[in-house]
Amino acid sequence: MTALRSFLRYGIGEATRGGPAYHLWMALLTLLMCVGLFAYCVQLDQGLAVTGMRDQVSWGFYISNFAFLVGIAAAAVILVMPAYVLEEMDFKRAVLIGEAVAVAAVLMAIAFVVVDVGGPARLWHVLPGLGRMNFPRSMLAWDILVLNGYLVLNLGIPFYLLFTRFRGHTPDRRRYVPFVFLSILWAVSLHLVTAFLFAGLPARPYWHSALLGPRFLATAFTAGPALIILILVAIRRHTEMPVADRTIEKLAMIVTVAAQVCCVMSISEIFTETYRSTHHSHSARYLFFGLDGHNRLVPWIWSSLALQFAAAGVLSVHRWRQRLPVLLAACSALVVAIEIEKGMGTIIPGFVPEPWGKVVEYAPTWVEFAVGLGIFAMGAFVFTVLAKVAIPVELGKVRYTGPV
Amino acid sequence: MKNGLVQILSQPMDRRTAITVAGCAVAGAATAAASVANAINPFASPESREASRLEWQRYFQENYRLMSEEEKTEALLRLERLHQLKHGGRISVSGAEPIEKVLFGYAFNVSKCRGYLECVSACIRENNQDRASGMAYIRIHEHRNGEFDFSKASDTFDHPVPAEGHFYLGTQCFHCQNPPCVDVCPVKATWMEPDGIVVVDYDWCIGCRYCMAACPYDARRFNWQAPEVPEADLNPNQHYLGNRMRQKGVVEKCTFCIQRSRDGRNPACVEACPTGARIFGNLLDPQSEIRWVLANKKVFRLKEDLGTDPKFWYFMD
């Protein structure tokens, strides 16, 4: 217990200590969170009418970001497999970062669902035991369980590893490896369940496709590791944590293959929806070409596809991929491309046209942007704290020396 | 029987349950803080203190379908009293249960509908729908003769009807016998009653809108803002699962006018239709008009391929 208390005291101390740049960064994030909180208060007061959503497009920016972030969270454990299963030492350090990204992403995903519901005060109705969860019928009930389970796993495993190291012991493989395997399985099912949430609705032909699940995984395994590459390079530059080139190279390889798969899936989808276009292709036609003069999403989806194909092409050439500036540019392009595709390009067109064929377009309002910004700031805040506390322990710089 | 939280609090519990319950209580307390503050505020008027207390009890009440008889009665009386405290007027909120051997169904005569939209306005008045946002459960689609493509039909026509060369067809909740909206609800806030009516408990709905995404017929409506009905226009004859006032952030829908149909009357749309295009009745009664239509007319349903099994048929003379 003393060791635990000392660990927590170290954690709080470490999170609140730092240079001017660190404090400025955290102050900026806090400010953004306050902006988001203000916008959320406006929304609570006046109702979801302050968003761009209406009966025809009843999910928007919030649920789009939820889907994107669940993908990021799921993909973060792609690092876990080689590290613990294949015992790759250089990967092991990156894993802690990956798990911190997963925790931050899950928290952001949960936050995006919470701000989307009309009655957040009644959310206790979903709690098992207290409320009446519609399990196993509702995929949303599944998603609530899977998301929270994933959060616990990704907090638990790094906590065990760091705490053991903090006490100067070596982590016991028999204790954590089973959970590592579980979390890998969990990550895949987490994102599949999220895809099934949409794919299980025959009412929305654009989502009701067997490709949606695999496509969610492919985009996640592109954007997730791409984001982690960007973060690892930033960490290598700004902290003392060494990140081996080999780690970055391996991650880049994962990103490349996943991005290629994404391209194949995009082509497959465009072909199926356009070669013999039916009523069920109206959403896809709206997305890619516009429908009855409504074409708000068209520039977005083509920019996304252009970025995705260009990045996948560049990364496919070994010599280009090995040059860091090129890699970083390609990874940024992929993160942006997939955020657009999964958000604006997947969730919104599911609702357009509405079930009786009318086209009602959707655009987020300032409230949605501000709330979203606040949630992203919250995620960055959580990640910064987790990484800042974890890195010195991982590097063996802090040790518990008191009584056991 | 006590309701929701009280029931849990009065049980002996281990530490873990206690923490969970405490956590939820904190969340609940935060949101209901204003009402509690008011309930114990000695300077507040007795009426507003009573209203706050009732709101507090309402917040912790159980899912309607799982309430005991007493809890249901309490919930109904609470709504009536709350309305009186807040708006002065009297309403009656019924909890009429389904009648045995009744399964409601609906038939729409495409030949007779002439697009007068009387059904739409009668529905809005009967069901206390939000006037500010112009919410309506019924949509009348104006099709051009020779076409049956909803995406080309107009449901916003604003000209003398019936328009030359057009026919009219209404959609609303079809009360599917296999409703996809019910499956997806994460909290069982919407379900099909034994008499076939798909209802929502507006006090249990969390407003996630998954049911709206799952409905292939655009049957469900969301309260994007606090719904408003002027007290003078309010229909005071209400049902808990029907036309009682909704709150901000919950889903609502057509209930076949449950407050009327369980009372042996036709829904407001059927009664209001000047051409007799709408037929409503008990599918289990061989003598009912709806059964006559199903037996003697060539009927069809919309989007049958989705397997939703709607209890809403169309036919032509």
Side-chain angles (χ1 to χ4, degrees):
Chain A
M1 274 331 260
T2 0
L4 182 64
R5 207 173 302 146
S6 155
F7 183 65
L8 291 177
R9 198 178 305 130
Y10 152 75
I12 293 166
E14 181 64 27
T16 47
R17 248 193 328 266
Y22 176 72
H23 283 297
L24 203 64
W25 168 243
M26 295 306 259
L28 174 73
L29 293 179
T30 310
L31 180 74
L32 291 178
M33 282 192 276
C34 289
V35 171
L37 195 64
F38 169 74
Y40 186 55
C41 287
V42 172
Q43 181 187 305
L44 276 182
D45 180 47
Q46 296 176 31
L48 284 158
V50 296
T51 70
M53 294 182 278
R54 288 298 174 265
D55 282 338
Q56 293 83 9
V57 184
S58 48
W59 282 340
F61 184 73
Y62 295 152
I63 296 296
S64 300
N65 277 301
F66 158 75
F68 173 73
L69 287 163
V70 170
I72 296 291
V77 291
I78 189 90
L79 296 157
V80 171
M81 190 128 66
Y84 293 120
V85 183
L86 309 177
E87 283 282 283
E88 297 252 11
M89 261 323 281
D90 57 311
F91 240 68
K92 230 167 188 167
R93 294 225 157 110
V95 165
L96 279 175
I97 301 302
E99 275 172 341
V101 171
V103 168
V106 170
L107 286 175
M108 287 189 276
I110 294 174
F112 269 114
V113 175
V114 170
V115 297
D116 185 69
V117 301
R122 292 186 295 279
L123 270 177
W124 63 274
H125 296 172
V126 303
L127 296 179
L130 207 54
R132 301 289 166 217
M133 189 184 252
N134 189 10
F135 187 82
R137 275 316 285 172
S138 172
M139 289 319 289
L140 199 50
W142 278 79
D143 220 23
I144 293 164
L145 292 178
V146 181
L147 265 177
N148 285 297
Y150 193 66
L151 184 62
V152 171
L153 274 176
N154 278 289
L155 280 171
I157 297 170
F159 176 79
Y160 170 74
L161 294 176
L162 289 175
F163 187 53
T164 321
R165 194 149 309 156
F166 182 71
R167 289 192 303 170
H169 303 313
T170 317
D172 181 358
R173 275 180 61 83
R174 278 169 309 173
R175 281 210 182 151
Y176 69 84
V177 169
F179 289 101
V180 169
F181 277 107
L182 182 64
S183 80
I184 294 164
L185 273 178
W186 205 287
V188 174
S189 52
L190 168 75
H191 210 35
L192 266 184
V193 165
T194 307
F196 290 171
L197 197 93
F198 303 101
L201 304 179
R204 311 283 166 180
Y206 186 64
W207 298 336
H208 190 230
S209 149
L211 184 62
L212 197 76
R215 193 146 183 238
F216 262 40
L217 287 175
T219 48
F221 289 141
T222 309
L227 183 66
I228 288 168
I229 289 178
L230 298 175
I231 291 172
L232 283 179
V233 170
I235 282 178
R236 184 160 70 177
R237 229 168 252 170
H238 296 293
T239 73
E240 293 164 40
M241 187 164 120
V243 177
D245 283 338
R246 246 158 55 86
T247 308
I248 305 277
E249 276 165 30
K250 273 184 206 152
L251 280 174
M253 197 64 212
I254 294 171
V255 173
T256 307
V257 173
Q260 289 163 345
V261 173
C262 284
C263 292
V264 173
M265 289 182 169
S266 294
I267 292 169
S268 173
E269 182 178 32
I270 294 174
F271 172 80
T272 319
E273 299 279 24
T274 54
Y275 183 69
R276 284 296 296 166
S277 185
T278 69
H279 268 202
H280 285 188
S281 325
H282 280 173
S283 295
R285 265 175 48 206
Y286 165 70
L287 175 65
F288 290 111
F289 310 108
L291 203 62
D292 307 335
H294 301 280
N295 48 16
R296 195 173 278 165
L297 296 182
V298 175
W300 289 95
I301 194 66
W302 288 108
S303 319
S304 162
L305 283 177
L307 285 174
Q308 197 178 305
F309 277 81
V314 166
L315 289 178
S316 300
V317 180
H318 289 285
R319 236 173 325 122
W320 291 349
R321 189 177 62 238
Q322 278 152 4
R323 291 181 50 198
L324 196 60
V326 177
L327 178 66
L328 294 184
C331 285
S332 316
L334 284 172
V335 172
V336 172
I338 283 165
E339 157 78 322
I340 296 173
E341 190 200 289
K342 236 171 178 163
M344 293 296 171
T346 305
I347 309 306
I348 316 295
F351 291 103
V352 187
E354 52 89 44
W356 297 121
K358 301 290 172 307
V359 177
V360 177
E361 294 204 280
Y362 161 83
T365 61
W366 74 267
V367 174
E368 285 163 283
F369 280 124
V371 169
L373 197 65
I375 292 176
F376 279 114
M378 183 269 289
F381 192 96
V382 168
F383 174 78
T384 310
V385 168
L386 291 177
K388 183 141 194 306
V389 172
I391 289 171
V393 181
E394 176 64 22
L395 296 179
K397 290 202 167 161
V398 273
R399 280 281 176 273
Y400 175 63
T401 46
V404 181
Chain B
M1 273 297 272
K2 291 166 210 154
N3 62 12
L5 193 77
V6 182
Q7 203 176 333
I8 287 159
L9 284 176
S10 53
Q11 281 167 0
M13 58 177 86
D14 60 38
R15 210 173 106 116
R16 193 140 117 231
T17 332
I19 291 169
T20 320
V21 170
C24 299
V26 168
T31 52
S35 80
V36 170
N38 204 27
I40 55 170
N41 177 5
F43 301 108
S45 70
E47 285 79 20
S48 81
R49 275 158 64 187
E50 188 189 352
S52 300
R53 205 188 66 232
L54 290 176
E55 283 292 2
W56 173 255
Q57 290 172 353
R58 182 182 172 190
Y59 176 73
F60 283 110
Q61 79 187 25
E62 173 63 286
N63 182 321
Y64 186 74
R65 195 160 46 149
L66 302 165
M67 284 183 192
S68 65
E69 285 309 311
E70 294 105 278
E71 284 169 339
K72 282 186 181 172
T73 316
E74 263 176 46
L76 301 174
L77 289 173
R78 192 155 51 225
L79 288 175
E80 291 174 356
R81 180 69 182 145
L82 268 171
H83 184 83
Q84 196 181 16
L85 288 169
K86 285 180 178 170
H87 305 283
R90 280 185 183 277
I91 57 167
S92 108
V93 183
S94 155
E97 298 284 333
I99 306 158
E100 289 226 354
K101 294 191 180 133
V102 170
L103 185 68
F104 288 120
Y106 205 113
F108 187 100
N109 189 338
V110 184
S111 310
K112 280 192 173 164
C113 179
R114 309 182 81 178
Y116 294 134
L117 303 181
E118 294 293 329
C119 51
V120 178
S121 44
C123 173
I124 292 170
R125 283 195 306 273
E126 169 68 30
N127 289 300
N128 294 322
Q129 283 156 47
D130 178 34
R131 304 296 201 270
S133 63
M135 186 194 288
Y137 298 159
I138 303 176
R139 285 171 69 175
I140 302 290
H141 307 260
E142 185 183 66
H143 291 264
R144 196 173 310 157
N145 283 349
E147 270 181 2
F148 192 52
D149 181 348
F150 276 87
S151 63
K152 290 181 185 154
S154 162
D155 67 331
T156 51
F157 54 90
D158 185 19
H159 51 69
V161 289
E164 186 62 33
H166 289 80
F167 68 97
Y168 299 83
L169 187 146
T171 57
Q172 59 203 70
C173 174
F174 292 162
H175 297 273
C176 304
Q177 196 64 11
N178 182 17
C181 51
V182 168
D183 275 351
V184 300
C185 177
V187 294
K188 302 185 187 173
T190 183
W191 64 89
M192 188 172 66
E193 288 276 287
D195 55 2
I197 304 179
V198 177
V199 294
V200 181
D201 180 352
Y202 315 122
D203 277 313
W204 197 258
C205 171
I206 58 170
C208 72
R209 307 187 295 291
Y210 197 9
C211 55
M212 299 179 78
C215 176
Y217 303 112
D218 182 41
R220 288 175 170 259
R221 300 286 176 267
F222 186 70
N223 287 284
W224 300 96
Q225 57 204 15
E228 281 171 23
V229 178
E231 189 64 17
D233 298 344
L234 191 79
N235 176 2
N237 302 316
Q238 302 175 5
H239 191 287
Y240 185 94
L241 298 171
N243 59 345
R244 70 175 168 109
M245 279 310 290
R246 276 69 62 176
Q247 44 192 336
K248 180 176 68 185
V250 301
V251 167
E252 59 173 288
K253 61 185 286 298
C254 156
T255 62
F256 277 164
C257 286
I258 198 167
Q259 64 280 358
R260 298 168 64 105
S261 50
R262 285 203 179 157
D263 203 22
R265 295 154 70 205
N266 271 327
C269 49
V270 175
E271 198 175 274
C273 179
T275 65
R278 294 171 171 272
I279 288 159
F280 177 78
N282 181 5
L283 293 169
L284 302 181
D285 174 9
Q287 304 304 317
S288 66
E289 197 183 356
I290 180 105
R291 281 286 293 270
W292 185 88
V293 169
L294 294 182
N296 295 288
K297 297 287 182 181
K298 311 288 180 280
V299 298
F300 67 93
R301 297 185 291 186
L302 294 175
K303 300 195 188 180
E304 285 236 49
D305 51 329
L306 299 181
T308 48
D309 199 5
K311 295 193 288 291
F312 198 105
W313 289 265
Y314 295 88
F315 67 100
M316 278 158 269
D317 286 330

